[in-house]
Amino acid sequence: MNHDEVLAMVAEMQLPSAYDHFAEGESPDPPFLCFLYPGTDNFAADGLVYFSSNELNIELYTDIKDPDLEARIDAVLTQHELYYTKSEVWIASEHLYEVLYELEV
């Protein structure tokens, strides 16, 4: 999945989104998404990259726990036949929940 396809998939989630972060002072009210490619998971053969895969993190920020919204995001990822893991943390300083989806594209 290339960057344009990731952008289209994130748009299907129907939330404000930005790559990595929103500019200072331009963050929308929650819920919103940030996504980034924190690394790669390449497969080597003969000392070269034989197959390249990007790690993709999709971060959902909400001010309340919203299982229906998470289910909507889960459905988009499943529709695109992507395997993901999901974790959650409360960010006390921001008064926000972060639900982190980690996958490879």
Side-chain angles (χ1 to χ4, degrees), residues 49-61:
V49 174
Y50 179 75
F51 178 80
S52 180
S53 178
N54 286 317
E55 297 170 357
L56 171 63
N57 287 356
I58 300 174
E59 304 163 350
L60 168 63
Y61 294 94

Side-chain angles (χ1 to χ4, degrees), residues 40 45-46 65:
T40 60
D46 298 326
K65 177 70 174 168

Side-chain angles (χ1 to χ4, degrees), residues 2-21:
N2 64 35
H3 184 68
D4 288 337
E5 292 168 325
V6 169
L7 286 173
M9 179 183 66
V10 169
E12 290 175 34
M13 297 173 185
Q14 301 176 339
L15 291 170
S17 63
Y19 183 78
D20 191 53
H21 65 281

